[in-house]
Amino acid sequence: MEFIFHEKQEGSLCAQHCLNAILQGSYFTAIDLAELGRRLDESEQEHMAEAGYSSEEYKYFMKQPSSNYDDSGFFSIQVLQEALKVWNLELIPFNSSEPICQEARKDPRTQKAFICNFKEHWFTIRHIGNQWFNLNSLLTSPELLSETFLSLFLKQLQHEGYSIFVLSGDLPPCEADEVLRLVPAVQSVKPKLLAEVKPGAGDQTTTSPDEFDEDLQKAIEESRHLDEDNDKTLREALQLSMLDFHLSSPLPVVPENKPEEAVDVEGLRKQRLAFLSQNEPQQGQSRPSESPRTQAQDQPELPTAFPTDDLSEETLLEMAIKLSMENSV
């Protein structure tokens, strides 16, 4: 945007700003345009004098103020047309039957620029690079117009009473046109009107990145607060949902640890001793004579897991306790 030449409104010099915007440079001053206006007045006076200096028409004309310029800085369409003739450019009314105007009404994107006027205010709409811009001097900076919005914008201006002129001819080359062909402009925030800018905010020709619309700032701030409220509400809802889930879910059944049954060590010891005493001969008594095979058959056999001949009493006791615990399970 900084490559686009854009003059801000000074007094009533909108015609000067309009011409310099369309040519993209400081080509005209108020003095230059006033001189053109004076020449037009002289030309009109000579034309009226053809009927005679003493004619009522001439006398009436001479009493009227200039219709081409005044001390406030206003300039007529005739002055603008005269200024553009230097560049072989011409302004044609938008509603004219000229082929260029018919094409402009059909598709304004085919044109190079438009000049608009309403209540003595002039401003330019121009094609720069591959984009369209509203170069109104009442704005703080150029306004980017999409190709879709261009047609709607022109219709809106006509509806509001603007007079629109189509520019015919080849515009002089400019730096902005070359730059924007390579790097198109991007505008996230529309420029303000100068009347909306607070005094002392600076008078640069382009808007800085920090120059945001107040309404947009408020909307962004409200959106942030809304997001924070939504996040807080969501967190509370999740907490309540989790609480409800825990209350409604059955508690897990924890298996109770059964106390281990006390092992009667003394009882096991007595049983072992009784078992052994039954298989031992009493003192002074002798067993009847039996064959080794018969004695082996009649004597109850211990399980192979209990080799009683080689185990100590403590080991046997431990094994008995272990078997007792396994059977209880």
Side-chain angles (χ1 to χ4, degrees):
M1 288 288 192
E2 62 270 15
F3 295 100
I4 300 176
F5 185 85
H6 178 256
E7 292 180 342
K8 294 181 181 180
Q9 184 75 16
E10 294 182 6
S12 299
L13 298 178
C14 53
Q16 170 193 322
H17 305 321
C18 175
L19 288 172
N20 288 337
I22 207 168
L23 296 171
Q24 282 296 287
S26 300
Y27 292 98
F28 292 100
T29 65
I31 297 176
D32 298 330
L33 298 180
E35 178 62 22
L36 291 175
R38 187 187 63 79
R39 293 178 186 176
L40 287 173
D41 284 348
E42 290 179 355
S43 177
E44 291 174 359
Q45 290 173 10
E46 292 175 1
H47 177 72
M48 294 299 296
E50 293 178 357
Y53 291 101
S54 59
S55 64
E56 294 296 329
E57 290 81 3
Y58 180 77
K59 292 179 181 180
Y60 179 79
F61 175 79
M62 293 301 295
K63 291 180 181 180
Q64 302 301 317
S66 173
S67 60
N68 294 303
Y69 73 105
D70 59 26
D71 295 336
S72 68
F74 166 76
F75 298 98
S76 66
I77 180 62
Q78 287 79 15
V79 174
L80 271 68
Q81 288 175 327
E82 196 68 21
L84 291 173
K85 283 182 180 179
V86 178
W87 303 93
N88 294 320
L89 298 171
E90 184 180 2
L91 295 176
I92 306 174
F94 188 72
N95 292 325
S96 172
S97 59
E98 294 286 336
I100 187 174
C101 295
Q102 293 179 5
E103 184 65 24
R105 291 194 296 272
K106 182 179 179 181
D107 186 1
R109 298 174 299 176
T110 59
Q111 305 306 309
K112 299 179 180 68
F114 300 91
I115 285 182
C116 308
N117 171 259
F118 181 67
K119 293 183 178 181
E120 300 184 351
H121 178 67
W122 299 93
F123 73 91
T124 294
I125 301 173
R126 183 185 152 148
H127 188 261
I128 304 176
N130 296 314
Q131 298 170 298
W132 282 90
F133 295 90
N134 175 11
L135 303 179
N136 196 333
S137 57
L138 294 178
L139 297 174
T140 56
S141 68
E143 179 185 12
L144 178 63
L145 302 176
S146 66
E147 292 186 348
T148 304
F149 183 67
L150 175 64
S151 179
L152 298 175
F153 187 47
L154 292 174
K155 290 180 180 179
Q156 178 186 350
L157 292 176
Q158 281 188 304
H159 180 73
E160 293 176 357
Y162 276 81
S163 298
I164 303 176
F165 299 87
V166 181
L167 182 74
S168 176
D170 295 327
L171 288 165
C174 64
E175 181 184 9
D177 194 50
E178 297 175 1
V179 172
L180 293 180
R181 286 184 188 277
L182 299 175
V183 184
V186 178
Q187 189 172 57
S188 57
V189 180
K190 295 293 184 182
K192 299 178 184 178
L193 289 170
L194 290 175
E196 298 175 352
V197 179
K198 296 180 181 179
D203 53 356
Q204 298 178 353
T205 56
T206 57
T207 36
S208 63
D210 297 332
E211 215 172 52
F212 293 107
D213 186 84
E214 293 182 1
D215 293 336
L216 181 62
Q217 289 271 20
K218 291 179 181 178
I220 294 174
E221 203 64 32
E222 291 176 0
S223 176
R224 288 174 179 171
H225 288 309
L226 183 60
D227 290 341
E228 292 176 359
D229 293 340
N230 288 340
D231 291 343
K232 183 178 180 181
T233 303
L234 181 59
R235 289 196 299 268
E236 292 176 353
L238 287 173
Q239 291 175 356
L240 290 175
S241 176
M242 293 175 67
L243 180 60
D244 292 340
F245 173 78
H246 287 302
L247 292 176
S248 59
S249 298
L251 294 175
V253 179
V254 179
E256 297 182 358
N257 293 327
K258 294 182 179 180
E260 295 182 357
E261 297 180 359
V263 180
D264 189 358
V265 178
E266 186 63 25
L268 291 173
R269 183 172 177 278
K270 290 181 179 181
Q271 291 178 7
R272 186 184 67 82
L273 293 175
F275 173 78
L276 294 175
S277 63
Q278 291 178 359
N279 293 275
E280 291 180 356
Q282 296 181 359
Q283 291 182 354
Q285 294 181 356
S286 60
R287 293 186 178 181
S289 179
E290 295 178 353
S291 64
R293 183 176 180 275
T294 305
Q295 291 178 358
Q297 288 177 351
D298 294 342
Q299 185 177 357
E301 296 180 358
L302 291 176
T304 56
F306 291 92
T308 56
D309 295 336
D310 300 331
L311 297 179
S312 65
E313 182 177 345
E314 287 80 9
T315 303
L316 291 173
L317 180 60
E318 290 177 1
M319 295 179 66
I321 292 173
K322 183 176 180 180
L323 287 174
S324 176
M325 293 177 63
E326 291 177 355
N327 292 332
S328 64
V329 175

